Every structure is written in C-alpha cells, then in structure tokens.
Amino acid sequence: MPTLFLDAALWRLMAFARKRPLLVGLFWAALAALSLFQVATRLSINTDSSDMIDPSAPFRVAATKLKSAFPDLDDQVVVLIRSGTADEAKAFTESLAERLRDDENVESLLAPPAEPFFQENGLLFLETTELEDLLARLTNAAPLIERLGPDPTLATLFDALAEAAEQDGASADPETLDALYAGLTEVFTTQDTVLSWEKLLSVGEEPEPEVLLTIEPVLDFTKLKPAQGVKTAILDAAAAVRSEDGLEAEVLITGEPILRTEELEAVSQGIGWALALSGVLVAVLLAFAFRSLRLVAACLVTIALSVILTAGVATALFGQLNLISVAFAVLMVGLGADFSIHLLMHWKDERGLGASERAAGYRTARKIGTALMLTAPTTALAFFSFAPTEFIGMNQLGVIAGLGVLLAFLIAMTVLPAMVRIGETVKPVDRLPEGLMNKVIRPLGIVVGALGIVSLFLLPYARFDADPMALRAVSAPSVIAFNEIADDEDAAPYRLSVLAESEDELLARADGFSDAETVSSTRHLFSFVPEDQDLKLTLIDAASVGLSFALISGGDLGPDLEPALGRLLVALREEESEAARTFETVLRERSLQQLESAAPRVFRFWPRQREALNAQLRAGFVTREDLPDPLAERFVTESGTYRLEILPEGDASDLAARRDFVDQVLSIAPDAAGSARTALSAGDVIEGAMVQASLTAAVLVSLLVLVVTRSIKVLVLLLIPLLLAGSLTTATGTLFGLPYNFANVLVLPLIIGIGIDSGIHLALRAEKTGDPLAGVRGPTGRAVVYSALTTIASFGSLIVSAHRGTSSMGALLTIGMLWVLATMLFVLPPLAQLLYDRKRSRLERTSA
C-alpha cells in the first residue's frame, strides 16, 4: 500500500505550522473575523420547503405558473375563531374584522359573517328544501319575535312562552319551543352559558360555534419574520375585542406565512440550544479523552474556527440557508473535533512512550498520516454527493459541509501543531488485552452481524413521510390551528387548482371532474352565484310579509316577572315533552332574583339575531359583479385568468388518499398545481435524492479508497460494516416510528461520509500491521471511540429542537452513528482477522 507520500505531505504541513505559529494564528483569525462579519450582515434563513426543490421540476413549474397568476394565494393567513356559541363567534368575528380592515398589516380580508353581501344574501346559498324549512320555522316563530321586540325582558319572554304553550304551539312550533326550553334550562343552571338564538332559529345541522376568517397580509420581507406584523395585529385586535366589547373567543392563526414564521422560530431556537448543548457535551467528552485543559482548549479552538469559517463559506456561496442546511453548524461541531482527536491522541501517546516533541509529531504523521489525509476527502466527497440531486436543501448542505470538512482538516493540522506543546510527563494510551478478540469482539460481532442481516428484511417497510407538516413543532399555535381546520372543506389545506383563460374553458374544465371519485367538489368564481334564485327570492318575499312586521315591531312590555312566571308554570304543567318538564322544575327551584340575574345571558345576542334576520329578508338577485372583491380576487385576475379549485373527497391528510386524489386529478388536468401535489411530488424527489446521494457517496468514496490504497481488502473492510450500519439505522427508525422526511433524508449519505472515517483508521492500521486488533487496542481505537462519541453528542443535541424535522434528524443520526460505532468495533476486526489470517497462512505455506 504505497501511501508514504501522504504521510510525508501531512508531516510537511504540520512542520510548517510548528515553525510559524504567529503567521498561522493571524491567518485563521483574519479569516474568522471576515466570516463573522459576513454572517452578521448577509446570512438569512428561508423556511419555504418548496424552495428546496429544483425549480425545473414539473410540479414546481406548474406551481410557479399558478403563483404568477395568483401571487397571494399561498400567502393567505387563516384565522379560526371559536367561541361558546355561534352567535358569539360571529359577533367576535365582525368586531375583529372591523378592527383589522384598516390595519397597515392587512391588504384585504374575507370574513363572511362581517360581509354585507353574505349578511343580506346568505339565505340564497341554502338548498331550496332547507330554505323552505327555515322560512316555515321563522314564520311560525313570528308572533314570538314580534312580542320580544328589539329590547325584550324576561317577563315578556315568559309571558310569550306561556301563550305559545296555551295555544299548543300556534305562535311557535313545538321543536322551537323545546329547543328554547332546553337552552333556558342550561342558562339558568350554569354561571356562564349564553343563550344561542342562532341555534334556536336554524334548521338542519346545528350551527358551528366557530368562524374562519382569511386575510391577505402585507408581508415585510426586509425582516427575518415577514408575517410577524400581521400576527401581532390579529392578536392585538382580538385582545381589544375581549376588553372593549366583552366578547370571548379562542383565536387560532395559521396559513403558510404564519407556519413559516413559527417554524423559523422553532428552527432558530432549536439550532441555538443544540449548538450550545453540543459544545458542552463535546467539551466534557474531550476532557475525559485527554484529561488536559490545554488539549481540550486547543480542540475547542479548532471546532470554533471550523464552525465560524464554514458559516462564512455558506454565506459567501449562498447568502441564504434553508431548513436542512441550517443544521451545518451543529454538524461541524462533531466533524470539527474528529481530526483533532485523532491527531492529539496519537501525539500524546508517542510523547508518553518517550519520543521528543518533534519526533512524536513525525511518528504520528507516519502512523496515521494516510488515514487522516484520506478521511478528509472521503467525508467531503460523501457530502459533495448531495450536490447533483434535485433537492436543493440536501444540495446546499452537501456543498457547505463538504467544504467545512476540508476546512476543519486544514485548521486541525495547522492550528494544533502551532499552539500545542505536550509535556514529557504524559502517560501513553493504555492498550487493551490481546485476548479481547475471542472474549468480547467476536461474540459481539456475531450479534451485530446477525442483527444487520435481520434488518434487511425490515427495509421494505421503511417509509418516507412526504408531509411538510410532519416537520413542524406539534405545540406551535399555527400547527394546532392547521390541524383543527384540516377537515374543514372551506379551508382544506390539501387541494389543487387549474387555470382557464375564459369562462367557457373554466366551466368545461370543471365538468371534467364531475365523475372523479376522489374529488368531492370543484369551486370557481361562478360557484358563488346562487342557483334557483327566482324561486328562492319568491319564497323569501312570501315569508317576509309576516316576518317583516314582526321584526319592525317595538315589542310588548308585558306583565311583571312574577305573574308572567306564574302563568308560564301553569302552562308548562300541560306540556308533555321532557324539555318542558325539566324547565318547569328548574323555574320552581330558582328565586326571582336568580332568574333576573341570568337575563343578560338570555338576551345578549337577541338584538344581533333580530338585525341579522331583518338583513336576510332584503336579499336580492345576485350576479357575478355583486361578489365581494376579496372573494373574487381569489378566483379571477384582472386580465381574465380564472382559477378552478379542486377539493378532495375524504381525508386528504392520509397519504394514500392524497396520492389517489392527486393521481386522478393529474390524469384529467396535468397542469394542476397546489399543496396536495407539491407535498407528494417533493417527497418523491427527495426520496430519490436520498437514494441517489447514498449510491453516489458509496461509489465515490470506494473509488477514492481504492485509488489511494490499491487494496481490495481495505475496501471490503470499510463497505461491509457501513452497509450493515445503514440497514440497521433504517430498520431501527422503522421500528421506532422515525420515518425519513424532508429534514432527515441526509442520514444515510452522512453515515457513509462520517462513518467511513472510523473504518479507514481501523482498516489501515490492520492493513499496515497485519493485526486485525492493532487499531482497536491502542490510541487509534480510543480516538475512534471518542471521535464517534463527540459526533453522536453533536448530532444528538439536535433532538432538543422543537422542530420535528430537526429533532428527527438528530435522532436518526444518533442511531446511525451508534450502529456505525458498533459495526466498526465489532464487525470490522473479525472480518480483518479472517482476511489477514488467510494471508498469513498462505505466506507460511509459501515459506515452507
């Protein structure tokens, strides 16, 4: 294995640094200062996962075309307003929308309960039969509505209910009366329940006590968090509604801008905590490894320089990091320590054996020079294998980390010789006993090898999670809101859109999906023009004859509360329904003061309901031009390009259902774009990128090792443990519910790139000495263990991140490095013994 030129090259580099420490120090310090300035002034983070895919990919081309026509479509903020009753939710929404309309952070908003168009024409959007039932119910309740008037009292209500009961429901249908009895019972028996008149006067399904409000925000891209302004404006306006209007509602905010803002917070905080934690853990491990503050400090200096200079390179090359490449800082903590650990461990050992300072450096270069000179380019090549993929997130990290590895090598090989002086009193590294192979390593090697073979059968069950939401923090408010509205058809996140240049084309394209089983409905501009308007308006006009008078009535002052209550109790005795009997019991158990104290909660939303009914009776014929601008702008451009929205049937958050939906839509409209297609297609691209990068890394690293060492044995000793480690990592992730995703797809290529370092050191020691345990027993084995542990510590620190993608990256990398350590320590030596024992047997037979 003619590699003496590598040993000599490393020694010359170390000797140069040793002779010129001041020059070396000034050189790296100047570069570090320049890097810090670049990072502070230019570096930013892009949290848009779609930007991590090559823009020439077909789904990106379709998405770009849709975005150019409707640039604000993906930047909408969705607000979910949830309260105790539908009445309060709508009242809260109206007040919130009124405050936000003039806010500088809001371009436009669409809040149906607060839109005059929907307030007046809402009845036209009901099915004809549903409208008939509602109008019949309202007509029956007209006498009750008339008596209550705009400012009713509890006495008026009780007297009206008594009259209705005495007339067997002539002034209100039995269903309405029972609902009113049940509602009043709840109000009188609780401390905070408010009567929902919306619920009492509706038909069909009970109205939901929540409202969706969509906002087109003004995003400030000069700031790190462009959507922070609109988020703050919404929360401040909601607080004002609570304090000034006395309304209560839960306000949940989501939408891509908010999701990205909170994701950036999670990633930034997670990387910050991980970086700090990894630094502490690595420092502790180095202290155990060297038991010398000077050597630990020297290692930490090389690590810090590696991180800073790599950040400077990243800023100079890209200027903007993504959710994947931002992890380079934590990775470089582990990678930056590897070369220093191997160099100092052997240098210290040689000094302990009695070599002079210079001789110790020379012997270290002769002993591990080839390994050190080979591990830097092999690891860098593994990272550079990310570059040809379509996944820009992986591509960017590969370039940054690849260059970072080379920088870390140069820093360690120059800074350490320049600043480190190891005294004569150090002890050599303890050697493990020779009997270790038979007692420990071979049995454990058999176990690990067997597990590796078993793990191959689990590989078909490994999966890739293509949902970007799988990356985000579960506890983030925007993610909670997203999950809450995921099943709401009006806000379903996984949908598709196609474009049309005319009304005829739009309607034709909509008809094309009428028989699609995976499509629940299509929606376009003309979908919001109600059908059968003539018939519906006739029904409304007929009902308004009696209702209009009831709604303009001033109401009935009625008797005092006590006689009204007495009359109602007598009337309730004749009622047979369960609701009436329960209501009678509650009334008898309450004093007049208790009932009067609940009156504000009974009538709190009555005036608003009365005004809403009055507005609905003013419905008129609706045309396309009558649609509110915030709604129309979502479906047609000023140039006349129409958008057709396609909604999925069933639960599109289920991966299989979503794929069926996307496949069927694309078979009808290949130009369809939207979140449903983007998530799936991006997943397919990234899954392919992981396989491509892994194979590329394996091939490039293998070729380099073969060219440098010219040894098939060394290559075999490296590849078999790596293949086992990769299979075991994937199988472990499958068993413990850690699928591959957008963030952790780089695990397998990283295992090849980083894991091969340990193998190279052990394999080359075995090749040079012919002893399979030569590397394990001495300083090489100890350096391999501590190098792997520092890498695990730095990668494992990512687990603390609230961002699930970053956390899963740390978890899988930790698992992967543990398996790398196990296969290199327990599988490689017995394999080397098998190969070199045969070599020695042949030599002995030839000699004989």
Side-chain angles (χ1 to χ4, degrees):
M1 188 173 63
T3 58
L4 291 178
F5 72 98
L6 293 177
D7 300 342
L10 179 61
W11 169 241
R12 290 192 185 96
L13 180 63
M14 293 169 61
F16 174 86
R18 183 179 175 81
K19 291 178 182 177
R20 299 169 178 83
L22 184 59
L23 178 62
V24 170
L26 290 175
F27 174 76
W28 290 119
L31 287 182
L34 179 61
S35 295
L36 287 173
F37 176 76
Q38 289 270 14
V39 171
T41 57
R42 290 186 52 208
L43 188 63
S44 62
I45 300 175
N46 181 6
T47 60
D48 190 348
S49 58
S50 64
D51 285 345
M52 292 192 288
I53 307 296
D54 187 344
S56 64
F59 78 94
R60 287 291 311 276
V61 173
T64 301
K65 184 178 179 181
L66 177 63
K67 189 172 182 63
S68 65
F70 295 90
D72 300 319
L73 192 62
D74 292 332
D75 289 332
Q76 292 180 4
V77 172
V78 180
V79 183
L80 174 64
I81 298 162
R82 179 188 294 149
S83 190
T85 64
D87 313 60
E88 190 162 23
K90 290 183 177 181
F92 194 100
T93 302
E94 289 178 8
S95 186
L96 181 67
E98 183 179 352
R99 285 172 166 81
L100 288 175
R101 277 198 174 93
D102 297 328
D103 193 280
E104 62 181 7
N105 296 287
V106 176
E107 184 70 29
S108 67
L109 63 81
L110 180 63
E115 291 288 341
F117 172 81
F118 289 106
Q119 289 173 341
E120 293 186 4
N121 301 298
L123 295 179
L124 296 178
F125 292 92
L126 299 176
E127 295 293 333
T128 303
T129 54
E130 190 178 3
L131 176 61
E132 288 176 331
D133 292 342
L134 176 59
L135 292 175
R137 186 166 190 169
L138 292 175
T139 301
N140 256 349
L144 178 62
I145 294 172
E146 180 182 351
R147 288 205 60 188
L148 291 179
D151 189 22
T153 63
L154 207 56
T156 305
L157 175 61
F158 284 175
D159 199 57
L161 288 177
E163 183 179 338
E166 291 166 353
Q167 297 176 358
D168 295 327
S171 59
D173 62 90
E175 185 179 351
T176 302
L177 285 176
D178 281 347
L180 189 49
Y181 294 152
L184 289 170
T185 297
E186 189 174 359
V187 171
F188 292 141
T189 55
T190 62
Q191 294 296 320
D192 55 2
T193 301
V194 178
L195 187 65
S196 174
W197 292 95
E198 180 96 14
K199 176 181 175 181
L200 292 172
L201 299 177
S202 65
V203 294
E205 295 183 4
E206 183 177 321
E208 293 289 338
E210 55 187 39
V211 177
L212 285 177
L213 182 153
T214 57
I215 295 173
E216 183 181 318
V218 175
L219 301 177
D220 186 356
F221 291 101
T222 63
K223 296 181 179 178
L224 188 60
K225 301 172 184 178
Q228 188 61 46
V230 70
K231 179 182 176 182
T232 302
I234 294 169
L235 294 176
D236 288 347
V241 173
R242 295 187 186 99
S243 62
E244 296 174 16
D245 299 339
L247 297 169
E248 284 298 330
E250 181 183 17
V251 176
L252 300 175
I253 312 171
T254 188
E256 272 304 305
I258 304 298
L259 287 166
R260 288 199 295 267
T261 293
E262 293 185 357
E263 187 170 25
L264 177 58
E265 292 175 352
V267 171
S268 302
Q269 293 173 2
I271 292 296
W273 280 108
L275 194 57
L277 180 60
S278 65
V280 172
L281 293 176
V282 168
V284 170
L285 288 169
L286 291 175
F288 277 103
F290 298 122
R291 302 184 185 279
S292 166
L293 289 178
R294 289 189 299 109
L295 297 185
V296 171
C299 278
L300 293 178
V301 168
T302 63
I303 293 171
L305 284 172
S306 299
V307 174
I308 292 170
L309 292 178
T310 305
V313 169
T315 306
L317 291 178
F318 303 106
Q320 187 180 73
L321 300 178
N322 54 54
L323 293 175
I324 307 300
S325 59
V326 73
F328 86 88
V330 177
L331 300 184
M332 288 309 301
V333 172
L335 296 174
D338 288 353
F339 303 113
S340 300
I341 289 173
H342 281 282
L343 182 64
L344 290 179
M345 190 67 72
H346 284 83
W347 200 339
K348 180 183 175 184
D349 183 61
E350 293 296 337
R351 287 289 280 152
L353 294 173
S356 67
E357 189 77 33
R358 187 175 185 279
Y362 177 75
R363 291 181 182 181
T364 297
R366 285 294 306 273
K367 185 177 289 186
I368 63 170
T370 298
L372 284 174
M373 294 289 280
L374 189 55
T375 54
T378 51
T379 305
L381 272 179
F383 279 114
F384 288 145
S385 67
F386 300 173
T389 67
E390 290 184 283
F391 185 23
I392 296 174
M394 180 184 283
N395 177 315
Q396 195 178 85
L397 179 64
V399 173
I400 295 171
L403 293 174
V405 167
L406 298 178
L407 279 171
F409 171 77
L410 291 174
I411 291 169
M413 296 306 111
T414 55
V415 171
L416 292 178
M419 67 183 294
V420 171
R421 297 293 181 268
I422 300 177
E424 299 178 355
T425 59
V426 296
K427 296 180 179 179
V429 174
D430 295 333
R431 266 63 174 174
L432 296 174
E434 293 187 7
L436 190 68
M437 174 69 79
N438 293 329
K439 291 182 180 179
V440 178
I441 293 181
R442 186 180 288 116
L444 287 177
I446 293 171
V447 172
V448 174
L451 289 174
I453 293 172
V454 171
S455 71
L456 295 173
F457 294 97
L458 290 175
L459 295 185
Y461 299 98
R463 67 184 182 89
F464 181 87
D465 192 341
D467 190 351
M469 294 303 297
L471 305 181
R472 288 162 170 154
V474 179
S475 59
S478 59
V479 175
I480 295 173
F482 179 93
N483 293 330
E484 289 285 339
I485 67 174
D487 297 329
D488 191 303
E489 182 177 291
D490 292 327
Y494 298 113
R495 58 181 73 186
L496 293 171
S497 296
V498 295
L499 301 178
E501 298 304 323
S502 67
E503 180 180 344
D504 291 339
E505 182 187 356
L506 174 72
L507 298 178
R509 299 202 77 171
D511 288 340
F513 295 100
S514 57
D515 296 327
E517 297 176 355
T518 60
V519 175
S520 71
S521 62
T522 57
R523 192 157 52 189
H524 49 78
L525 182 67
F526 303 100
S527 302
F528 296 94
V529 178
E531 298 178 346
D532 302 323
Q533 292 191 62
D534 291 330
L535 175 58
K536 292 176 181 177
L537 288 171
T538 300
L539 294 173
I540 293 172
D541 288 341
S544 66
V545 174
L547 281 172
S548 293
F549 178 78
L551 289 169
I552 63 173
S553 169
D556 184 2
L557 293 178
D560 292 335
L561 179 57
E562 189 170 2
L565 175 60
R567 181 183 179 187
L568 177 58
L569 289 173
V570 172
L572 288 174
R573 290 177 188 171
E574 306 301 321
E575 294 290 294
E576 297 180 356
S577 69
E578 181 69 26
R581 288 197 296 271
T582 303
F583 183 46
E584 180 190 2
T585 302
V586 168
L587 289 177
R588 292 187 183 279
E589 293 174 349
R590 299 295 183 277
S591 66
L592 290 177
Q593 290 77 13
Q594 288 175 316
L595 294 176
E596 286 179 331
S597 66
R601 291 186 284 119
V602 173
F603 300 111
R604 184 173 187 182
F605 295 111
W606 169 251
R608 182 188 173 279
Q609 183 62 38
R610 197 167 178 274
E611 290 175 9
L613 290 174
N614 203 15
Q616 288 173 344
L617 295 180
R618 297 196 298 267
F621 196 87
V622 173
T623 66
R624 174 257 176 276
E625 286 72 23
D626 297 319
L627 299 179
D629 290 340
L631 176 62
E633 290 167 357
R634 287 163 168 77
F635 291 94
V636 64
T637 66
E638 291 182 0
S639 62
T641 299
Y642 294 91
R643 182 174 71 91
L644 173 67
E645 197 168 64
I646 308 157
L647 303 176
E649 178 69 41
D651 182 13
S653 60
D654 177 74
L655 185 60
R658 196 191 319 159
R659 189 171 292 279
D660 290 341
F661 167 62
V662 171
D663 288 345
Q664 186 169 32
V665 170
L666 291 180
S667 68
I668 300 170
D671 60 333
S675 56
R677 181 183 182 184
T678 296
L680 283 178
S681 298
D684 294 340
V685 168
I686 295 170
E687 191 172 5
M690 179 179 68
V691 175
Q692 177 187 338
S694 300
L695 293 176
T696 303
V699 170
L700 291 178
V701 167
S702 299
L703 289 175
L704 181 60
V705 170
L706 199 57
V707 167
V708 172
T709 65
R710 301 180 187 177
S711 172
I712 297 294
K713 292 188 184 71
V714 171
L715 187 59
V716 170
L717 288 177
L718 293 175
L719 291 184
I720 290 179
L722 279 180
L723 290 173
L724 289 175
S727 178
L728 285 164
T729 301
T730 303
T732 305
T734 301
L735 287 174
F736 287 93
L738 283 172
Y740 290 108
N741 56 42
F742 284 84
N744 63 34
V745 289
L746 45 81
V747 168
L748 287 180
L750 277 179
I751 286 176
I752 295 172
I754 300 173
I756 202 168
D757 288 1
S758 301
I760 286 174
H761 284 284
L762 295 174
L764 289 185
R765 290 300 295 155
E767 174 73 9
K768 279 187 175 182
T769 63
D771 180 0
L773 279 183
V776 176
R777 286 202 303 266
T780 299
R782 181 160 297 205
V784 164
V785 170
Y786 277 107
S787 177
L789 290 178
T790 55
T791 303
I792 290 170
S794 63
F795 292 170
S797 65
L798 291 170
I799 298 174
V800 304
S801 174
H803 187 260
R804 284 188 288 174
T806 304
S807 179
S808 70
M809 183 196 302
L812 271 184
L813 282 172
T814 300
I815 292 169
M817 288 309 301
L818 286 172
W819 282 122
V820 164
L821 189 59
T823 55
M824 291 302 174
L825 290 180
F826 305 129
V827 175
L828 188 149
L831 187 61
Q833 185 180 46
L834 178 66
L835 292 175
Y836 292 112
D837 278 356
R838 289 183 176 180
K839 179 180 179 180
R840 282 196 293 270
S841 297
R842 286 197 302 272
L843 289 174
E844 290 170 358
R845 288 196 299 270
T846 302
S847 176

